[in-house]
Amino acid sequence: MTFSKILIANRGEIACRVIRTARNLGYRTVAVFSDADRDAPHVAMADEAVHIGASPATESYLRCDAILDAARKAGADAVHPGYGFLSENAAFAQACVDAGLVFIGPPASAITAMGDKALAKRRMLDAGVPCAPGYLGADQSDDVLMTEAEKLGYPLLVKAVAGGGGRGMRLVRQASELQQGIDGARREAQSAFGDGTLMLERLIDNGRHIEIQVFADAHGNAVYLGERDCTAQRRRQKVIEEAPSPVVTPVMREAMGKDAVAAALAVGYRGAGTVEFIVDDKLHHYFLEMNTRLQVEHPVTEMVTGYDLVEWQLRVAAGEPLPARQADITLSGHAIEARLYVEDPYTGFTPQTGTVLWWQPANALHPDVPGPSVAHGVRVDDGIVQGSVISPYYDPMVAKIVVHGRDRDDAIRRLRAALANTPLLGLKSNGRFLSDLVDHPAFRQAQMTTTLIDQWLEEGEALLQAPVPTDDIWRVAAMAMAMRHGNSWRANSVAAFDVRLQCGDVVRDIRVQPDRHGGVVLGLDGATVQAHVLGFGDGRLRYAVDGVVRKAIAVFDGAHLHLALDGNTFVFTEVSPFPDADALKDASKARSPVAGKVTQVLVASGAEVHVGQQLVCVEAMKMEMWLCAEATGVVQAVHAKAGDQVESGALLVELKT
């Protein structure tokens, strides 16, 4: 099972992650890319790269034939699937083997046995492992699903049997939501995994998501490498992961670990896998599923064990025995991973698209080369660089900030500092939200549940209210605006001038008065401060206010100033003295909130609609977003149909109100 050149059948940060370890072990690497990823960092990092199709995943990264053809063209003799896409597709794994390639993952038979969530649950039930009640039948008709849902009771989960990562999953709290949940889960599963088969599962309320990392080789050896707590989720997708879990005892860890290893051995497993459990408020655990691949959150396990799990994957695929025995594996300290998404957590986690204007990861050993970089207990796994263009076709996660500390409090402190020192500018991200989340009493006191963030969103929790810039931040923005055209203030003949800035819906005037000593007095709402700009270049602003030297990141993009300071990011615009014709929002025009693909149009010209009624569904980054009527009226025109690609802000429906 020797091999020398590995094709990574994936993209983004995981492709970069695999390339880095493969290179360290002396393997050559081949990247694959779609139209949208032609200039992506993983393409530049690999030794070779092959184009595999158009931007939508169904026309590129989900095309088994295109991946195999790329391997043939490049002369690759092994394939690493990463996570998502085809990583849990048994037919793809078998096709690789049939083509004479080493598949760096479990055998197709194990993927079939465990990758199908419904089949896996049947096996676990046969083995006596506790499982949440559910429907696992082959009959996928809506009528049968609805009948079985009534038998189970609510709340329940509608879940895709293929794939993972929260895709193709809907929480249904009452019967009136079921049809929409079935339709949405089926569409999303088909789009993400190419398989729309569903299962139903009774929801364990107030549960914690705890998973066990397992590894097996071809010599009959299998081990577990502790657990990861992935309870902090939004919309069934993980946001924060940590190891070890703050609620798992050594006895519970051993019991869950042995169950997970037994499950792997029962299906002839080989390679990296994760057995996921839901744990109720009495610390009883129930089998959820087995992910037959490397997980997004594998770095926290690497941090507390000291092992490189990608290296383990490559060694096992080459026929070597596991690098460690169970007795050798110990956990040291505490690790936390934060997933950096390009989304706006303050508007319902809406995905964002656009260009990365500033991205220089904190403590990265090689800031211009994406991949895992570790220093002082901080690691950044990313797949972007400054100038990267984020498209609507893929997952909105662009980086993972991972920290390791002596204990949990130490790790939380380090993570908050790392997030503050790693701003992403150009697109909205969840960076500030992540920092606030790990500082929230519910997280610090280990009282999170898998649905708590969603509950907060419904209840208007302060954590999900958009931060507003302080007076100090307004003054820094005014300094940057005034300095934009050089290292001098405006004409010497001007003793003082006003800078009118807008941030969000707020407009404020800052009085700028240069003094004779190279400084400036900044006046805001009657209060003044003395400031000096000490340096401003390449996006870095050094300044002193009342004798205290500080620094900020300030990047201009046309008329917009993107500012990062003290863990916050804001966008300011200098207000024109002329009126903005689009300043008042027109409720008669329904525009797309994101760039994406129209999946449903529920209205036609002449239809009467009411406030809040769903009009059009737009899918971006595998997430569905509904455009709803903001006024009661009659549809005058519909400018899109299902299947259309639309830009952010595109006019989709016109109403007569």
Side-chain angles (χ1 to χ4, degrees):
M1 290 190 291
T2 59
F3 52 89
S4 59
K5 183 185 287 190
I6 303 169
L7 181 143
I8 297 91
N10 218 294
R11 64 176 301 280
E13 67 86 16
I14 187 58
C16 295
R17 165 76 185 88
V18 173
I19 290 170
R20 191 177 182 98
T21 288
R23 179 176 293 167
N24 288 343
L25 293 177
Y27 292 104
R28 290 184 62 79
T29 58
V30 180
V32 293
F33 62 94
S34 67
D35 289 346
D37 282 340
R38 191 174 298 276
D39 298 318
H42 75 277
V43 177
M45 284 186 69
D47 297 302
E48 301 170 37
V50 181
H51 178 253
I52 55 171
S55 299
T58 53
E59 300 176 34
S60 50
Y61 297 105
L62 286 172
R63 284 186 55 199
C64 176
D65 61 329
I67 301 291
L68 295 179
D69 187 55
R72 180 189 59 78
K73 288 179 179 177
D77 47 10
V79 173
H80 193 300
Y83 54 72
F85 295 131
L86 294 171
S87 63
E88 294 183 281
N89 186 306
F92 175 64
Q94 188 60 51
C96 289
V97 174
D98 293 344
L101 303 168
V102 174
F103 181 73
I104 303 174
S109 59
I111 297 177
T112 298
M114 284 299 203
D116 183 306
K117 313 308 179 189
L119 182 60
K121 286 192 71 172
R122 292 192 198 101
R123 286 179 175 271
M124 293 299 100
L125 288 168
D126 291 342
V129 177
C131 298
Y135 171 69
L136 313 174
D139 192 331
Q140 292 288 297
S141 67
D142 287 1
D143 287 344
V144 169
L145 290 174
M146 289 180 175
T147 299
E148 294 298 328
E150 290 301 319
K151 293 178 183 178
L152 285 172
Y154 299 93
L156 58 78
L157 294 172
V158 181
K159 301 174 64 173
V161 300
R167 302 301 184 195
M169 187 184 302
R170 293 293 187 275
L171 170 61
V172 177
R173 293 200 171 274
Q174 55 192 18
S176 61
E177 301 172 358
L178 182 59
Q179 185 64 62
Q180 187 174 343
I182 290 172
D183 293 343
R186 186 176 283 143
R187 277 194 310 274
E188 193 169 272
Q190 187 66 45
S191 174
F193 313 117
D195 183 353
T197 308
L198 303 176
M199 59 184 275
L200 304 178
E201 183 175 273
R202 186 75 164 85
L203 179 71
I204 303 296
D205 266 327
N206 301 316
R208 295 189 72 92
H209 180 120
I210 297 175
E211 60 190 34
I212 303 293
Q213 175 71 60
V214 296
F215 239 101
D217 62 23
H219 306 279
N221 304 307
V223 298
Y224 65 91
L225 294 93
E227 80 283 357
R228 296 184 289 259
D229 195 316
C230 311
T231 300
Q233 302 180 14
R234 58 105 176 96
R235 291 176 177 166
R236 317 308 298 179
Q237 286 190 288
K238 300 164 187 173
V239 177
I240 298 285
E241 302 100 349
E242 57 183 321
S245 167
V247 302
V248 170
T249 65
V251 172
M252 185 177 174
R253 177 177 302 119
E254 183 177 5
M256 295 175 72
K258 288 181 176 179
D259 284 347
V261 167
L265 291 175
V267 295
Y269 203 80
R270 185 176 67 245
T274 297
V275 180
E276 298 188 341
F277 297 93
I278 190 75
V279 177
D280 66 19
D281 52 8
K282 296 181 177 60
L283 296 185
H284 298 145
H285 64 274
Y286 302 89
F287 174 81
L288 279 180
E289 61 188 40
M290 184 175 186
N291 294 134
T292 55
R293 54 171 168 80
L294 193 67
Q295 292 279 81
V296 174
E297 59 271 19
H298 73 275
V300 293
T301 298
E302 294 181 323
M303 295 290 250
V304 296
T305 63
Y307 297 119
D308 182 334
L309 298 191
V310 175
E311 179 181 345
W312 278 38
Q313 285 188 296
L314 302 186
R315 294 193 182 283
V316 167
E320 297 181 25
L322 290 177
R325 299 170 302 171
Q326 191 66 61
D328 301 325
I329 298 169
T330 58
L331 308 182
S332 174
H334 200 95
I336 306 177
E337 172 182 285
R339 299 190 186 193
L340 190 69
Y341 290 99
V342 283
E343 63 184 14
D344 186 356
Y346 310 114
T347 59
F349 299 99
T350 308
Q352 307 291 300
T353 58
T355 301
V356 176
L357 299 179
W358 177 274
W359 175 247
Q360 296 191 14
N363 299 316
L365 299 179
H366 303 288
D368 294 325
V369 180
S373 301
V374 185
H376 309 299
V378 177
R379 163 175 165 175
V380 178
D381 284 18
D382 61 358
I384 57 171
V385 293
Q386 281 183 202
S388 290
V389 176
I390 309 301
S391 76
Y393 299 104
Y394 314 114
D395 192 276
M397 190 189 76
V398 294
K400 303 179 303 196
I401 315 299
V402 194
V403 298
H404 182 258
R406 182 179 60 251
D407 53 31
R408 192 166 186 259
D409 286 341
D410 192 30
I412 290 173
R413 183 175 60 254
R414 289 187 174 195
L415 179 59
R416 298 194 75 214
L419 287 165
N421 292 329
T422 317
L424 186 152
L425 298 182
L427 303 88
K428 292 180 180 179
S429 78
N430 66 338
R432 167 66 188 269
F433 166 74
L434 293 170
S435 180
D436 291 343
L437 176 59
V438 296
D439 194 40
H440 193 283
F443 186 88
R444 284 191 174 271
Q445 297 166 18
Q447 294 177 345
M448 295 294 296
T449 69
T450 57
T451 58
L452 186 56
I453 294 177
D454 295 330
Q455 292 172 28
W456 286 344
L457 187 61
E458 293 176 2
E459 296 165 359
E461 171 75 14
L463 182 78
L464 288 165
Q465 302 304 307
V468 296
T470 63
D471 287 354
D472 286 343
I473 291 175
W474 281 96
R475 293 187 183 102
V476 173
M479 273 194 291
M481 282 288 188
M483 290 287 291
R484 181 176 190 181
H485 300 294
N487 294 324
S488 61
W489 305 104
R490 295 188 179 180
N492 292 333
S493 60
V494 179
F497 56 91
D498 288 332
V499 175
R500 173 165 286 188
L501 299 180
Q502 180 169 355
C503 182
D505 295 328
V506 179
V507 177
R508 302 182 74 180
D509 292 310
I510 298 91
R511 188 72 170 172
V512 179
Q513 183 177 356
D515 63 22
R516 290 176 294 179
H517 307 290
V520 61
V521 176
L522 299 169
L524 179 61
D525 294 340
T528 60
V529 298
Q530 179 72 40
H532 284 80
V533 175
L534 306 177
F536 189 16
D538 297 325
R540 302 179 187 274
L541 174 64
R542 287 185 70 245
Y543 63 97
V545 174
D546 292 335
V548 178
V549 177
R550 296 173 178 162
K551 51 191 176 181
I553 305 299
V555 180
F556 285 97
D557 179 33
H560 303 293
L561 166 65
H562 296 255
L563 185 68
L565 179 64
D566 297 334
N568 299 286
T569 60
F570 295 103
V571 180
F572 291 88
T573 305
E574 189 166 8
V575 178
S576 167
F578 301 102
D580 183 356
D582 296 324
L584 297 177
K585 189 170 183 180
D586 187 350
S588 70
K589 292 180 170 58
R591 300 180 181 276
S592 178
V594 295
K597 179 182 179 180
V598 175
T599 59
Q600 290 188 82
V601 178
L602 300 186
V603 295
S605 182
E608 294 183 359
V609 298
H610 55 80
V611 174
Q613 181 174 333
Q614 293 177 334
L615 306 176
V616 179
C617 182
V618 180
E619 181 188 272
M621 298 177 175
K622 304 178 190 174
M623 185 179 297
E624 290 186 337
M625 283 152 288
W626 282 97
L627 186 62
C628 298
E630 296 190 4
T632 297
V634 177
V635 176
Q636 278 194 313
V638 178
H639 299 288
K641 63 182 183 301
D644 286 354
Q645 290 287 340
V646 296
E647 296 297 322
S648 178
L651 178 61
L652 303 185
V653 179
E654 290 185 83
L655 304 177
K656 183 178 181 181
T657 58

